[in-house]
Amino acid sequence: MSSNKKYWKSVEELENSSIVEALRNNEFVEEIPTEEFLGNAEALASSGTSRRDFLKYVGFSTAAVTLAACEGPVHKSIPYVLQPEQIIPGVADYYATTVFDGFDFANLLVKTREGRPIKIENNTIPGAKFSANARIHASILGLYDSMRLKEPKIDHKKSNWSAVELRIKSGLAGAKAKGGQVVLLTNTLASPSTEKLIGEFIAKNPNAKHVVYDAVSSSEALDAFETVFGERALVDYDFSKASLIVSVGADFLGDWQGGGYDTGYVKGRIPQNGKMSRHFQFESNMTLSGAAADKRVPMTIANQKQALVQIYNIIAGSSVPVSLDEKFKAEVVKAAQQLKAAGSKGVLVSGIEDKNAQLLVLAINQILASEAFTTVGTRQIRKGSNAAVAQLIKDMNAGTVHTLIMSGVNPVYTLADSAAFVSGLKKVDTSVAFSLKEDETASISKVAAPAPHYLESWGDLVLTKGTYSLTQPTIRPIFDTKQFQDVLLSLNGTPGTFYDYVKANSAGFIAGSSWNKVLHDGLLVAETGALSGGSYDFAGAASALSKSKADSGLELVLYTKTGMGDGQHANNPWLQEFPDPITRVSWDNYVTVSNADAKKYNLSNEIVANGGLNGSYATITTADGLKLENVPVIVQPGQAVGTIGLAVGYGRKEGLKEEMQVGINAYALYKNFNNVQSVTIAQASGEHEFACVQGQKTLMGRGDIIKETTLEIFNTKDAKHWNEQPMVSLDHQEVEATTVDLWESFDRSTGHHFNLSIDLNACTGCGACVIACHAENNVPVVGKAEVRRSRDMHWLRIDRYYSSESTFEGDNERKEGIAGLSSSLSTFNEMEKPGDNPQVAFQPVMCQHCNHAPCETVCPVAATSHGRQGQNHMAYNRCVGTRYCANNCPYKVRRFNWFLYNKNSEFDYHMNDDLGRMVLNPDVNVRSRGVMEKCSFCIQSTQAVILEAKRQGRVVGKDEFNNACACSAACSSGAMVFGDVNDKESEVAKLAESERMYHLLEHVGTKPNVFYHVKVRNT
């Protein structure tokens, strides 16, 4: 069999809560207020209303929905008097660009319609290795943020750019006259033109210096690499070249060192010729990397440091004393021995914020001669220095900084000791903040200078050594903004614009190519040499690291959430409503605690009668007495005992709509840029209401949703064993369910027939597909209260399932073999509780586009029907909102518009203002209230591909459809592949023939056009 595990979604479900069981079988968790539209319930009962009266009420609701639909967005179009040559109405244009905001980076194509950027796509030309994550896909909405800083302000009063430049020049002159410092405080720039420009500024102002500040620091890893290799950079690991991966506290599938490692990682995770890579993960918080690991060991940071020394001892043949807990030693030794045996095919990474730990990482990979560890093409996306930032704050408070010019940073919000920065800022004569919004820092600076969005800007980037990328505007500046670089040019007395400066400076990077070609492609890749490593006392680093001891109390581990990152996008409703891949909670950050610690400190979660998740509040107190009060609690399976987790990026107030001012500012605990702090935790009064989607749309308790097996079984057993087919009785004979049909099938072998393949081995749960679907299909944001009521509108969800590492049947057999009290005690102590360290599987679920769709047979008005090309269609203007289709759908993928989310002050998100609505895709209807909606396989895009091929007089190219579906186009790991299954040369057609292929709930007989691949674990 593929699996005999028990899968569960939450601790409450694992513990067999009666309310969970009741909710599982309840289609609508709240009573439907039918009396509001059918009149008084008692009157109806006494009138003897029968089923024959049903159509009267259908007629009533039809009229009501028709009237409500008139509230939809209707605009009169004004034709061009003189149509711009570059713009053809109804035809999308694409611009290649590259984004780097100091935290996230990617090579992009930007889709525009009638001059409006409306969607982010991945640039797929050779060399474009960095794909957009969920935050970058959502960043296009930031362009149309009505809370943006629209014009310059001086002393909190509206001003103009001439006055701003005059004020800065006055500050520079004053600093020179008084002998004060001039400081440029920026995020990591990774822009050779900007860095050259800053160098010219410093040459003209010898009292000036440049300080680089990263809100989430990688300074310890940078210091270690600079010590050994002489360059302040990070290693760009290539996980595709590793057969064994050992991670000690590095969430490399998340935001560690900027992320973007999933593409290479997944190449080794698909079983090919009986082989796949093996992955050990030692960590405290449950992360995306831990969820993907074959063997995950939860442990404190103190134990992780000792584990790293133990691994170094085995790899280097050293004998540094180690004080590692005995319960972890066997797993650490096992990982180290396998790593040593793997040699150049092994790699070790670590996220421990300690220079000595990072030195050991460099040493281990050099000894292994790891192919995945390369100093060719180092990452240039983190350059911050903790020491330089600390010195700046001292200088500001000492009164030696006269003029401070900031760009791309918000230290008042992100610094742990922001009070010291604020007090120092008051002593600075001229403070200037270039910012998209009037944020915490800009609001208290003397000059607030509005910066353009990256889609309105020119620039160049070297994300990795050997690459050169261009950033180009896709729209004219919407507001009175100016780039930081253009102001620097003016201050330097350099004529021209930053565009001119970048174009002139590019000559040194694009030799052998041309400006127009690089601008068209978005980037240029050139060869670069490897750095030679210097000698260092690595044994001394191991000895120093081994002396580190665990602090008393709990370890607080700060991290960045997949949706929110460092907090730059806090005013983005798409990201606020995006459910965290692990906890499945949106609109919040929270402290994660293990089940054991939750019981110890009397903290809990519970599912209440309406299906919502509630949790305790906690007070977190640091060793020096700093308190964070009323922090919501999530009991997180897999959290290491003795540790708690808390995400930064929340708790912002300035420059945000009221609805987006959610969560707790965890940066306050980021003392000395250390993401691990010793704290105590105590229960606080009250109960927090979460918006958690994992308990919703549960597929009504059906099993065999996830199919998985081990690599050993996959290699040694027949596919019918690990990919078992459901059987039914036909004429008293057992036959495969997929061979039995209640319906007469159509011939679907001619024309296009669309299928979507989803490989559970490749899906990391990153959620880029969810946001891409939001952008492409005008999916509305409903807010926390509605999400809590099971009314989220996501067309695509990524279910997260936990499972025990050993089968429940195996546990039962072991318990039945207990003999006597002593045996009972020892056996139960050895048996691991499933909730302490579960395995995790992610499963994207959208409309399955069933060829025999249950929704189509129950719709009384034929609003949903099947298309010739395999898509399940929705005619919105026919739908009367009976929701029969949702009730009859076994996959729970249909969404009902309870309200009008467009132009409704009750839902004050991007669809409630004219600027925010500019992001809407004109090819997709904005749905009004009272109708069902769901995934359409992006029918507008598939038809555009067909029409373009027809216009050019050719057949559709192989795999040309893959980029037509928003989710598959956004998937950087290749987990999703979309295409025409009738084209036997297409990738999706080949995947459909795989032995790992199965359909969700095959025994139901719906014959979906979405298929999955059995998950294989290399345990």
Side-chain angles (χ1 to χ4, degrees), residues 19-334:
I19 196 167
V20 173
E21 186 63 31
L23 289 167
R24 178 183 292 165
N25 297 298
N26 188 3
E27 175 67 22
F28 301 107
V29 296
E30 290 190 346
E31 184 179 351
I32 301 171
T34 52
E35 66 276 4
E36 291 184 13
F37 60 88
L38 292 183
N40 184 277
E42 293 180 4
L44 281 173
S46 61
S47 67
T49 304
S50 68
R51 291 176 61 187
R52 282 177 288 183
D53 294 311
F54 169 75
L55 285 179
K56 296 178 184 178
Y57 303 117
V58 171
F60 174 82
S61 58
T62 302
V65 171
T66 302
L67 288 173
C70 294
E71 300 171 20
V74 178
H75 298 282
K76 293 181 179 179
S77 59
I78 301 174
Y80 288 116
V81 177
L82 293 172
Q83 180 181 318
E85 291 181 9
Q86 301 90 342
I87 295 177
I88 302 175
V91 177
D93 291 313
Y94 292 85
Y95 295 87
T97 190
T98 301
V99 58
F100 176 55
D101 61 9
F103 191 72
D104 294 314
F105 49 92
N107 305 115
L108 308 176
L109 291 177
V110 182
K111 179 182 179 180
T112 68
R113 283 292 305 269
E114 287 74 61
R116 292 181 297 115
I118 62 169
K119 190 170 183 291
I120 298 297
E121 307 270 6
N122 289 323
N123 192 342
T124 57
I125 69 166
K129 60 186 292 186
F130 297 118
S131 299
N133 58 22
R135 295 186 294 269
I136 292 177
H137 277 288
S139 66
I140 197 164
L141 193 55
L143 174 66
Y144 304 115
D145 187 348
S146 60
M147 298 297 290
R148 283 178 60 185
L149 186 57
K150 299 176 179 63
E151 58 195 349
K153 289 186 177 181
I154 298 179
D155 297 326
H156 308 291
K157 296 177 182 177
K158 294 179 181 180
S159 186
N160 56 64
W161 282 105
S162 297
V164 167
E165 291 186 16
L166 192 64
R167 180 69 173 263
I168 297 174
K169 288 176 180 177
S170 174
L172 296 177
K176 189 174 183 180
K178 297 177 182 178
Q181 288 185 40
V182 174
V183 178
L184 299 179
L185 178 64
T186 72
N187 57 359
T188 299
L189 297 167
S191 168
S193 293
T194 306
E195 288 166 358
K196 180 183 177 184
L197 188 55
I198 288 174
E200 293 170 356
F201 176 82
I202 292 173
K204 286 183 176 291
N205 300 276
N207 58 333
K209 67 177 181 178
H210 181 207
V211 176
V212 180
Y213 165 51
D214 295 324
V216 179
S217 176
S218 296
S219 190
E220 302 295 336
L222 291 165
D223 293 344
F225 191 85
E226 188 174 22
T227 298
V228 176
F229 293 98
E231 179 183 301
R232 196 163 184 78
L234 297 172
V235 179
D236 189 31
Y237 292 90
D238 185 354
F239 289 101
S240 68
K241 296 179 179 177
S243 62
L244 186 77
I245 301 163
V246 177
S247 169
V248 183
D251 182 17
F252 57 86
L253 295 180
D255 294 331
W256 177 75
Q257 294 193 1
Y261 292 113
D262 53 336
T263 304
Y265 172 79
V266 165
K267 286 179 181 177
R269 299 297 291 170
I270 308 298
Q272 300 283 353
N273 302 318
K275 295 181 179 180
M276 62 182 285
S277 64
R278 191 150 196 238
H279 174 191
F280 287 88
Q281 185 82 10
F282 302 93
E283 64 180 11
S284 50
N285 297 343
M286 175 67 84
T287 66
L288 292 181
S289 301
D294 297 302
K295 181 63 180 179
R296 178 183 181 272
V297 181
M299 58 169 64
T300 63
I301 302 296
N303 274 310
Q304 288 176 36
K305 290 179 178 179
Q306 298 299 324
L308 195 54
V309 176
Q310 179 74 64
I311 294 171
Y312 173 78
N313 281 344
I314 293 173
I315 300 296
S318 185
S319 57
V320 177
V322 175
S323 55
L324 178 66
D325 284 2
E326 285 298 321
K327 62 181 178 180
F328 302 124
K329 201 163 190 177
E331 291 294 345
V332 172
V333 170
K334 179 181 175 183

Side-chain angles (χ1 to χ4, degrees), residues 360-393:
L360 292 191
V361 172
L362 301 178
I364 290 167
N365 285 311
Q366 286 189 96
I367 294 168
L368 293 170
S370 171
E371 295 176 19
F373 174 91
T374 174
T375 58
V376 177
T378 52
R379 291 192 172 198
Q380 306 294 307
I381 43 80
R382 298 287 185 271
K383 298 280 189 177
S385 170
N386 296 346
V389 174
Q391 185 59 49
L392 170 62
I393 296 172

Side-chain angles (χ1 to χ4, degrees), residues 576-648:
Q576 289 284 8
E577 192 144 299
F578 171 70
D580 180 77
I582 300 296
T583 63
R584 307 291 287 134
V585 172
S586 60
W587 291 99
D588 260 316
N589 66 337
Y590 34 77
V591 58
T592 56
V593 300
S594 67
N595 194 41
D597 286 330
K599 290 177 180 177
K600 181 178 178 180
Y601 297 104
N602 198 27
L603 304 170
S604 63
N605 290 136
E606 66 170 339
I607 295 178
V608 294
N610 68 353
L613 180 71
N614 289 2
S616 305
Y617 282 113
T619 299
I620 301 173
T621 308
T622 64
D624 54 4
L626 179 64
K627 287 187 177 182
L628 272 189
E629 297 182 337
N630 294 327
V631 183
V633 173
I634 287 287
V635 180
Q636 176 60 58
Q639 182 79 29
V641 176
T643 72
I644 58 177
L646 183 60
V648 297

Side-chain angles (χ1 to χ4, degrees), residues 520-566:
H520 173 272
D521 294 347
L523 76 155
L524 178 74
V525 180
E527 290 186 8
T528 183
L531 298 172
S532 56
S535 59
Y536 189 79
D537 180 15
F538 293 114
S543 180
L545 188 65
S546 70
K547 291 183 176 66
S548 59
K549 301 295 181 184
D551 294 318
S552 58
L554 293 167
E555 285 183 354
L556 169 66
V557 182
L558 299 171
Y559 67 99
T560 56
K561 281 182 71 172
T562 304
M564 198 49 60
D566 64 350

